[in-house]
């Protein structure tokens, strides 16, 4: 069964008089956001170069040159000035590490009525387009399409709508791939607790599924602990715990997964280190099921008004005879 929660389509977000991640419940798809921030990072596998350029106040573009993957070209237009859009640095880091995946704009639209459109093409004749529209204070919509021009029946279109209220968030999503239709919600119970669910149906497979989840977030301090747990119809029970070891500097996270049907389990642990006086983030993780460890450092530098983001990463299977995989991703922008 397909799970729209793990779709390649990113979740839209919005900002207004309230912050969706603090005041209201936030998205159900981000219920594991704190543990994912530590554990879910992609290590660059080769060398890649991404060049960003703000052509005008509203138009931006970039060229991605990964090796040996084919290059891609990206251009975007935002009805509001690009400088007002908020960029999610973690999404930028992950997008840099996987340049073969078209980089959807990791931003939110703060201006009501503003809209954003972006197109990406590569030499494999893959063509992608994103359209995001902040309709009102509460409603945001997104339309995503991808097609491979040299193959038949490879067009996929996904439409998404998100409603942010002071105490809950609702998302609706429909896609032509497997004819998926679904939605999710997350409701804030009090300052610490939130609960939600996801439901989806695939017409192609004539089947559906759901998942339920709860999250505890210690609201007494910005450095409080986070605990969440989800369960889906495949029998997967996942529990995550995240906490600051040293406020603003070192955080730790664990994720335990157990399938009640086949009794398979997995445990992953990770650390995130952010030095106070250095423009860098270090992340490391170890997965006990795959016996794979990974390390990545993400540097953010400014040299003569030119912004540089540099990801350097390495990963390896513990008992593998192969050499560790190593990669560097460099992003240059003004």
């Amino acid at each position: 069964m397909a799970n729209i929660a793990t779709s390649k389509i990113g979740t839209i977000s919005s900002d207004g008089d309230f912050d969706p991640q603090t005041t209201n419940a936030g998205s159900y798809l981000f219920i594991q956001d704190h543990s994912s921030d530590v554990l879910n990072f992609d290590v660059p596998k080769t060398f890649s170069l991404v060049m960003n350029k703000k052509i005008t106040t509203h138009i931006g573009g970039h060229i991605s040159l990964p090796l040996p993957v084919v290059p891609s070209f990206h251009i975007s237009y935002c009805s509001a000035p690009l400088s007002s859009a908020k960029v999610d640095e973690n999404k930028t880091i992950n997008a840099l590490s996987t340049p073969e995946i078209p980089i959807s704009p990791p931003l939110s639209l703060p201006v009501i009525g503003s809209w954003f459109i972006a197109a990406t093409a590569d030499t494999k004749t893959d063509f992608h387009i994103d359209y995001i529209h902040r309709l009102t204070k509460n409603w945001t919509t997104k339309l995503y399409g991808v097609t491979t021009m040299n193959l038949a029946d490879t067009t996929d279109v996904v439409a998404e709508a998100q409603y942010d209220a002071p105490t809950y968030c609702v998302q609706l999503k429909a896609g032509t791939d497997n004819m998926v239709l679904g939605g999710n919600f997350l409701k804030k119970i009090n300052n610490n607790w939130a609960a939600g669910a996801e439901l989806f149906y695939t017409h192609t497979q004539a089947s559906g599924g759901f998942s339920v989840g709860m999250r505890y977030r210690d609201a007494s301090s910005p450095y409080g602990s986070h605990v969440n747990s989800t369960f889906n119809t495949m029998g997967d029970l996942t529990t995550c715990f995240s906490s600051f070891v040293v406020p603003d500097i070192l955080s730790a996270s664990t994720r335990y997964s157990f399938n009640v049907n086949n009794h398979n389990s997995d445990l992953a642990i990770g650390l995130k280190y952010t030095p106070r006086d250095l423009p860098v983030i270090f992340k490391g993780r170890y997965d006990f099921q795959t016996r794979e460890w990974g390390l990545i450092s993400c540097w953010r530098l400014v040299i003569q008004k030119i912004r540089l983001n540099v990801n350097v990463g390495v990963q390896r299977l513990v008992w593998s005879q192969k050499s560790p995989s190593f990669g560097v991703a460099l992003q240059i922008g003004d």
Side-chain angles (χ1 to χ4, degrees), residues 38-278:
V38 178
L39 298 172
N40 293 1
F41 59 85
D42 295 298
V43 176
K45 297 178 175 60
T46 59
F47 175 79
S48 65
L49 173 65
V50 176
M51 294 176 287
N52 290 334
K53 177 65 177 178
K54 187 169 72 173
I55 302 172
T56 69
T57 305
H58 299 269
I59 300 176
H62 81 246
I63 300 175
S64 176
L65 302 172
L67 297 175
V69 186
V70 296
S72 63
F73 309 90
H74 178 97
I75 190 167
S76 61
Y77 176 86
C78 186
S79 64
L82 289 173
S83 58
S84 68
K86 296 187 176 182
V87 175
D88 187 325
E89 293 291 350
N90 287 309
K91 291 183 182 179
T92 301
I93 289 172
N94 287 333
L96 263 180
S97 300
T98 54
E100 66 272 16
I101 300 176
I103 303 175
S104 296
L107 54 81
S108 60
L109 299 176
V111 181
I112 295 175
S114 60
W115 54 275
F116 179 93
I117 188 168
T120 303
D122 60 39
T123 53
K124 292 191 303 183
T125 66
D126 284 349
F127 181 75
H128 310 254
I129 190 166
D130 285 276
Y131 177 77
I132 306 172
H133 197 164
R134 178 84 183 274
L135 298 175
T136 67
K137 173 183 175 180
N138 303 100
W139 281 102
T140 307
T141 60
K142 179 175 181 178
L143 184 67
Y144 175 93
V146 56
T147 184
T148 302
M149 301 177 199
N150 59 353
L151 295 175
D153 301 324
T154 58
T155 299
D156 183 20
V157 178
V158 174
E160 180 181 340
Q162 178 170 313
Y163 182 83
D164 286 295
T167 60
Y168 64 89
C169 175
V170 177
Q171 290 178 305
L172 303 174
K173 185 178 292 187
T176 58
D177 185 21
N178 289 327
M179 301 299 292
V180 177
L181 179 66
N184 64 75
F185 77 93
L186 188 64
K187 167 71 174 177
K188 182 179 179 181
I189 300 174
N190 54 40
N191 288 335
N192 295 324
W193 288 95
E198 178 187 44
L199 179 68
F200 64 93
Y201 176 79
T202 61
H203 178 73
T204 303
Q205 301 176 2
S207 64
F210 71 91
S211 70
V212 294
M214 295 193 69
R215 180 187 66 205
Y216 173 83
R217 178 162 50 191
D218 185 0
S220 63
S221 168
Y223 311 114
S225 300
H226 296 74
V227 183
N228 60 76
S229 185
T230 59
F231 180 78
N232 61 31
T233 49
M234 302 295 291
D236 297 315
L237 175 65
T238 302
T239 301
C240 304
F241 173 80
S242 300
S243 181
F244 276 98
V245 180
V246 180
D248 278 336
I249 297 179
L250 183 64
S251 57
S253 181
T254 62
R255 179 174 58 221
Y256 178 74
S257 301
F258 178 77
N259 187 283
V260 298
N261 297 321
N262 55 30
H263 296 171
N264 288 338
S265 63
D266 183 25
L267 174 66
I269 58 176
L271 293 173
K272 176 182 177 182
Y273 174 57
T274 308
R276 290 188 186 275
D277 301 323
L278 292 175

Side-chain angles (χ1 to χ4, degrees), residues 280-300:
V280 63
I281 296 175
F282 296 98
K283 295 184 181 182
R285 66 161 181 255
Y286 180 75
D287 191 299
F288 284 84
Q289 184 182 51
T290 62
R291 296 187 177 183
E292 181 180 66
W293 57 264
L295 299 171
I296 191 171
S297 62
C298 314
W299 297 81
R300 303 187 186 99

